[in-house]
Amino acid sequence: MTDFKIILEITKTHLLSRFKQSSIAALGVTFGIGTFIVLVSFMTGLNNMLDGLTLNRTPHIHIYNEIKPSEVQPIDRSEEYKNSYNVIRSIKPKRSQERIHNALPLMAVLTKDNRVKGITSQVAAKVFYISGSIELNGVVNGINVADEVKLFNFGDYIIKGSPENLLRNSNGILLGAGLADKMSLSVGDRLQLSSVNGGVFPLKVVGIFQSGLADIDNIQSYVNLKTAQEFLGEGSNYISDINVKLWDIDKAFLFSKEISKQHQVTAIDIKTANAQFETGTTIRNLITYSVSITLLIVAGFGIYNILNMLIYEKMNDIAILKATGFSGNDVKLIFISQALIIGLIGGLLGLIFGLFISILIDHTPFETQALPTIKTFPVNFKILYYVIGIIFALVSTFLAGYLPARRAQSIDPVDVIRGQ
Amino acid sequence: MSTIIEANNINKYFRKPMLFHVLKDISFNINKGEFVSIMGKSGCGKSTLLYILSTMDTDYEGELILGGQKLTGKSGNELSKVRNEKIGFVFQFHYLLPEFSVLQNVMLPARKLGRKSYNEIEKDAMKSLSLLGIGDQAKKKASMISGGEKQRAAIARALINDPKIIMGDEPTGNLDSKNSDNVFNIFRQLSSELGISLLMVTHDQDFAKNTDRIIEMEDGHIIG
Ligand SMILES: Nc1ncnc2c1ncn2[C@@H]1O[C@H](COP(=O)(O)OP(=O)(O)OP(=O)(O)O)[C@@H](O)[C@H]1O
Ligand SMILES: [Mg+2]
């Protein structure tokens, strides 16, 4: 084995003697890798933010009682028509309550299950908001505010006041931002809720929340669980929704099936409820990688070109090296290491460049009505992307250098010497 | 006297642009310490023969033996090693790597061989350069020195691994008569004092006259 130091020395001399071209080749790699880092950090930052937006406030499993027609109709039970093809038109669901049947025992079972991180219970009621002469319809949810803050980051969406205010004030209400706007209400003001069956409840605004989704902010508000139950004239066993957060989100699907089968309730897991999010994430990743690979291919062609040119210029050197006993392999190694050094330097600069731009983006203000918790553009700083980046740089420059190096390996010194 | 190089019935053809029989049944020996010159008209095949003897050209028929070792049929990597260790080569043009110093150029084959330490190699190289009268140019870049100096640096490089034989293709071809004499004397010294065999292609009658033996070529044959 040849002393690798001579190979590197020759490599270095070649690169330095063509400093401008080598730098331009390295800059191509820098640009490719830098763009990759910026894109992937920004895109995944965006992904995480959007996913987080959903994941934070979406229960992994949502349990409720869906009102739907009975699956088994009386005629299906009849022996006489058992072998017939029965068609029934205009099936209507039976009138039943919106509450979850036996909610308290179900909650006890769920709390004990070791897959469950925590549960919250809610009471939903349709209401009219009355303030002065304005009457708006909407939905009020009775919640256990401490649990909601703990499990679903409820506090992030309160833009005025605080969730604790609701805890302290049993007649308090957290109003959706859209509602507050329409009724010109602010923290400390009063309004009345009227239920569908006519009862009227006076409440005090203790906070304003903004979810980022106008459809929700225009109709939704939150009160204490007990307040909502009283409002509906029901007891403490009246629960309309149970939200479950699991330790492992991937177990949600099977677990939801299990719950709905064992407890005769409707249980929907997060993936089924939000199928579009996975697709969005995949597509954004796809864009990131394809743009980066395209840039690296362009950079690779640059390196390929420059090495080819260099080999043409260094034909005499190659012939001399071969005549004095360097093997074809040595010569190949010289040019491959040139490519790799261009890749390494260009790649490292690319990482630094990418990191710098990422930090810049991370500090760029980005405030939007829709995302009250976000103050700057989201960037995901993850060491893995930097590792992938440098591997990318080395692999692509190796591939770009391989063909020219092979050509150098097979140059016949006799042809070169005779050509003089 | 022991034979250093032995060529047996060497035939060489060029196939492009048409079939051309360049070397016809070439056979000869060179002994240890012998100083041999090859002469002949332009185009008779001297360079072609030298490329075969120096193992750079492997596309021939016949047999080539160096120091008792058969070289014909060896792989490219093995032949590189043989060239590195046992053969010194002096070209007519483009002698050195232009971006390296003269000293680095001379040291290169020894560093490839890796038999001695860097410092020993450096000392040997300096000694050769001084012997050839260009010790003071050692640190200069190879592209900065004159043609005659380059030629001598190339000879120093050919010497660095103590080869069995040094081959040259018109090594004094573009030197003035003073430098040419100088180089000739160095060769003479190498063969008599160090016992290195020399095989030099030349057009210079005076140069050839003073060597131990002249191989005369014509039309791909050896005629004397
Ligand atoms: N690659 C090649 N393809 C075809 N013919 C070649 C090739 N190289 C050399 N020849 C021919 O082979 C013959 C011998 O060439 P060579 O270079 O060995 O001559 P030479 O004796 O060294 O001549 P000179 O004294 O001018 O250097 C010439 O006629 C030349 O035209
Ligand atoms: Mg010739």
Side-chain angles (χ1 to χ4, degrees):
Chain A
M1 188 58 214
T2 316
D3 186 358
F4 199 65
K5 256 177 77 186
I6 330 169
I7 303 280
L8 280 183
E9 230 169 87
I10 298 171
T11 296
K12 197 181 84 190
T13 313
H14 277 178
L15 285 179
L16 290 180
S17 74
R18 287 270 149 271
F19 187 74
K20 220 160 138 190
Q21 279 100 320
S22 316
S23 314
I24 288 169
L27 274 182
V29 180
T30 301
F31 194 65
I33 298 295
T35 313
F36 166 73
I37 294 291
V38 171
L39 268 178
V40 84
S41 306
F42 188 40
M43 285 286 198
T44 55
L46 216 59
N47 276 347
N48 289 353
M49 185 195 76
L50 293 175
D51 289 356
L53 228 54
T54 327
L55 292 182
N56 278 348
R57 64 178 150 200
T58 313
H60 294 171
I61 299 173
H62 179 205
I63 300 169
Y64 59 102
N65 187 18
E66 194 169 29
I67 295 179
K68 58 183 176 191
S70 313
E71 306 238 330
V72 181
Q73 292 291 326
I75 191 155
D76 297 326
R77 298 185 195 272
S78 157
E79 283 296 319
E80 204 175 328
Y81 297 103
K82 199 173 157 194
N83 293 320
S84 320
Y85 182 67
N86 303 320
V87 178
I88 313 169
R89 289 178 213 278
S90 300
I91 298 178
K92 295 284 185 293
K94 201 170 80 184
R95 189 192 178 291
S96 64
Q97 286 184 304
E98 286 180 32
R99 60 186 280 184
I100 298 172
H101 190 62
N102 271 342
L104 295 183
L106 171 58
M107 282 163 65
V109 168
L110 289 175
T111 314
K112 266 188 236 138
D113 196 299
N114 58 9
R115 282 167 291 185
V116 174
K117 187 178 178 189
I119 60 170
T120 64
S121 47
Q122 297 194 353
V123 172
K126 295 185 190 71
V127 293
F128 293 103
Y129 300 100
I130 305 165
S131 168
S133 58
I134 314 171
E135 226 174 272
L136 295 170
N137 63 348
V139 180
V140 64
N141 270 30
I143 58 171
N144 206 325
V145 74
D147 290 350
E148 297 288 345
V149 168
K150 201 172 73 196
L151 291 174
F152 300 110
N153 298 353
F154 186 67
D156 288 354
Y157 304 100
I158 309 294
I159 54 170
K160 272 187 206 147
S162 83
E164 290 82 48
N165 291 353
L166 186 61
L167 214 52
R168 277 197 293 268
N169 191 338
S170 64
N171 280 332
I173 181 167
L174 291 167
L175 215 51
L179 274 175
D181 234 28
K182 284 187 194 168
M183 298 191 289
S184 309
L185 289 174
S186 184
V187 176
D189 294 346
R190 296 185 170 276
L191 84 161
Q192 288 177 313
L193 291 196
S194 133
S195 72
V196 186
N197 12 333
V200 174
F201 257 68
L203 292 171
K204 187 180 171 196
V205 180
V206 295
I208 310 274
F209 81 90
Q210 187 175 46
S211 68
L213 301 174
D215 279 348
I216 290 180
D217 296 342
N218 282 340
I219 58 165
Q220 177 88 62
S221 59
Y222 293 99
V223 296
N224 284 306
L225 193 65
K226 207 159 175 53
T227 315
Q229 285 164 342
E230 279 169 17
F231 177 70
L232 288 172
E234 299 282 355
S236 65
N237 63 348
Y238 183 96
I239 301 290
S240 62
D241 303 81
I242 299 174
N243 291 333
V244 183
K245 190 155 194 172
L246 301 178
W247 294 107
D248 178 5
I249 189 171
D250 293 328
K251 296 211 171 99
F253 179 72
L254 287 177
F255 196 24
S256 70
K257 290 271 171 277
E258 192 183 313
I259 294 171
S260 54
K261 211 160 145 199
Q262 284 177 7
H263 302 279
Q264 284 91 46
V265 288
T266 310
I268 296 285
D269 69 292
I270 184 167
K271 293 247 169 72
T272 312
N274 297 285
Q276 77 279 13
F277 273 91
E278 292 256 327
T279 325
T281 305
T282 317
I283 286 177
R284 278 187 292 268
N285 281 340
L286 209 68
I287 291 172
T288 304
Y289 279 91
S290 49
V291 168
S292 310
I293 287 173
T294 310
L295 285 170
L296 280 176
I297 288 175
V298 173
F301 272 110
I303 292 171
Y304 174 84
N305 250 333
I306 281 161
L307 278 185
N308 258 337
M309 215 169 65
L310 193 76
I311 286 165
Y312 190 76
E313 280 174 19
K314 300 292 182 197
M315 212 74 124
N316 285 345
D317 287 25
I318 294 170
I320 293 170
L321 287 171
K322 285 190 168 175
T324 55
F326 285 81
S327 65
N329 257 330
D330 294 336
V331 172
K332 184 169 79 177
L333 224 54
I334 288 173
F335 286 94
I336 285 184
S337 54
Q338 286 183 24
L340 286 181
I341 286 174
I342 289 176
L344 189 68
I345 292 176
L348 286 177
L349 285 177
L351 296 189
I352 294 169
F353 172 71
L355 179 66
F356 181 74
I357 300 287
S358 299
I359 290 173
L360 221 65
I361 292 176
D362 194 34
H363 284 84
T364 308
F366 172 63
E367 284 184 47
T368 157
Q369 282 276 304
L371 307 166
T373 50
I374 307 296
K375 297 279 174 270
T376 58
F377 280 105
V379 175
N380 183 14
F381 293 97
K382 207 164 156 190
I383 203 89
L384 178 70
Y385 299 137
Y386 292 76
V387 175
I388 292 176
I390 199 72
I391 291 175
F392 250 27
L394 291 178
V395 168
S396 61
T397 48
F398 176 82
L399 292 179
Y402 189 74
L403 285 180
R406 273 282 297 276
R407 203 165 69 92
Q409 179 186 27
S410 61
I411 282 174
D412 182 355
V414 174
D415 285 345
V416 179
I417 294 165
R418 216 192 274 282
Q420 287 291 307
Chain B
M1 235 189 226
S2 63
T3 305
I4 287 296
I5 207 161
E6 189 180 336
N8 293 326
N9 306 97
I10 288 185
N11 280 282
K12 160 101 188 158
Y13 301 86
F14 285 120
R15 292 176 184 83
K16 282 179 205 167
M18 51 189 186
L19 193 69
F20 174 41
H21 196 172
V22 218
L23 298 178
K24 298 159 187 161
D25 241 13
I26 303 273
S27 297
F28 65 92
N29 292 339
I30 294 171
N31 293 324
K32 185 171 172 2
E34 201 179 7
F35 189 175
V36 180
S37 53
I38 302 179
M39 294 198 76
K41 284 207 199 75
S42 180
C44 70
K46 304 181 295 295
S47 297
T48 309
L49 175 61
L50 214 55
Y51 299 142
I52 290 172
L53 297 176
S54 68
T55 77
M56 286 192 280
D57 187 354
T58 52
D59 179 23
Y60 61 91
E61 290 163 13
E63 194 183 44
L64 179 64
I65 297 168
L66 181 80
Q69 184 187 18
K70 186 178 166 188
L71 297 183
T72 312
K74 279 195 184 294
S75 75
N77 276 344
E78 286 172 300
L79 291 176
S80 295
K81 235 187 204 143
V82 170
R83 275 204 295 283
N84 187 229
E85 225 180 315
K86 300 183 172 149
I87 303 174
F89 204 95
V90 183
F91 311 98
Q92 183 180 358
F93 299 104
H94 63 78
Y95 325 100
L96 306 169
L97 303 182
E99 286 133 3
F100 286 79
S101 73
V102 173
L103 184 64
Q104 284 298 338
N105 265 286
V106 175
M107 289 170 68
L108 221 50
R111 297 185 62 194
K112 161 73 193 168
L113 185 61
R115 202 187 276 153
K116 293 179 185 164
S117 76
Y118 185 91
N119 287 336
E120 282 176 288
I121 294 171
E122 193 171 23
K123 224 171 67 195
D124 287 357
M126 277 312 297
K127 214 168 75 188
S128 292
L129 285 171
S130 303
L131 179 77
L132 290 155
I134 47 168
D136 51 336
Q137 311 282 349
K139 300 283 176 206
K140 274 196 189 170
K141 248 184 160 190
S143 54
M144 301 295 188
I145 59 175
S146 80
E149 288 164 344
K150 279 182 196 165
Q151 190 68 292
R152 282 179 278 164
I155 296 170
R157 182 181 59 197
L159 281 171
I160 193 78
N161 283 342
D162 301 321
K164 292 193 170 355
I165 183 164
I166 296 178
M167 302 181 193
D169 196 353
E170 301 178 44
T172 58
N174 55 351
L175 295 185
D176 59 30
S177 64
K178 184 172 161 288
N179 268 316
S180 175
D181 287 349
N182 192 0
V183 165
F184 180 87
N185 290 332
I186 291 160
F187 285 153
R188 193 73 268 180
Q189 214 178 334
L190 291 174
S191 79
S192 54
E193 288 175 16
L194 300 177
I196 297 175
S197 308
L198 294 150
L199 179 61
M200 299 292 156
V201 170
T202 183
H203 287 286
D204 184 343
Q205 280 290 346
D206 296 331
F207 185 102
K209 218 167 50 199
N210 290 314
T211 59
D212 300 338
R213 174 157 61 107
I214 300 174
I215 295 175
E216 193 85 42
M217 280 183 71
E218 196 179 294
D219 258 351
H221 291 285
I222 291 183
I223 54 167

